[in-house]
Amino acid sequence: MDEFMQAAIDEAKAGLAEGGIPIGSVLVHEGKIIGRGHNRRVQTGSPTLHGEMDALENAGRQPARVYQNSVIYTTLSPCSMCSGAILLYGIPKVVIGENQSFMGEEALLRSRGVELEMVDSETCKQMMNDFMAKKPQLWNEDIGE
């Protein structure tokens, strides 16, 4: 497994261990992780702190050229909000752990020229399927249902 996807999975596991939703993400620039995060909506009471948003937040303020030369790794297909942030900052590539338990805005990202790479990770699928079965109300809240 790619070291960056493994880092995103590690973030997802950390979120789950904290009582949150197991979605993790890392932002990689020039082969180095500059931001890592996981879904912390439950832990912080935030309506917006998804995994990708947390990774971006933890990367701190960056010049546009940094985002435009970065790759974001996420364990789950990015939702509308996270896809919007990817588009806003011009991140050109998203590596996705899985999209079977949830299909985010992949069509939108592709239509705007973002390259998507699907890992189709069994670890990511199992983590999400287990979580969704155990905590369906929390999962539905996370995706706005």
Side-chain angles (χ1 to χ4, degrees):
M1 166 138 342
D2 177 289
E3 69 179 294
F4 301 125
M5 182 52 69
Q6 185 59 57
I9 290 170
D10 292 345
E11 285 293 325
K13 289 178 179 177
L16 185 61
E18 294 168 359
I21 300 166
I23 303 168
S25 182
V26 294
L27 183 65
V28 177
H29 179 255
E30 296 181 350
K32 265 182 54 179
I33 295 174
I34 62 169
R36 59 178 61 233
H38 50 271
N39 186 307
R40 294 190 311 128
R41 289 183 64 252
V42 173
Q43 300 91 312
T44 64
S46 169
T48 59
L49 209 47
H50 284 192
E52 298 91 335
M53 303 301 277
D54 194 35
L56 288 167
E57 179 71 22
N58 290 325
R61 225 171 116 199
Q62 299 292 330
R65 66 179 160 65
V66 170
Y67 297 114
Q68 294 163 0
N69 290 293
S70 292
V71 176
I72 194 161
Y73 288 72
T74 180
T75 58
L76 187 64
S77 184
C79 72
S80 300
M81 177 179 62
C82 296
S83 294
I86 289 163
L87 293 173
L88 177 67
Y89 291 107
I91 297 169
K93 183 175 181 179
V94 182
V95 180
I96 302 167
E98 69 104 351
N99 66 359
Q100 290 181 9
S101 61
F102 176 79
M103 172 62 79
E105 296 294 334
E106 293 179 27
L108 171 64
L109 290 168
R110 278 192 193 97
S111 77
R112 298 283 295 275
V114 177
E115 178 186 351
L116 303 182
E117 180 182 324
M118 180 56 61
V119 174
D120 199 31
S121 163
E122 290 302 320
T123 300
C124 293
K125 286 188 258 188
Q126 189 67 52
M127 204 168 17
M128 282 308 301
N129 287 329
D130 289 349
F131 178 80
M132 291 163 73
K134 289 177 185 168
K135 298 189 176 182
Q137 281 185 302
L138 184 55
W139 170 243
N140 287 334
E141 176 190 316
D142 195 62
I143 60 170
E145 290 186 3

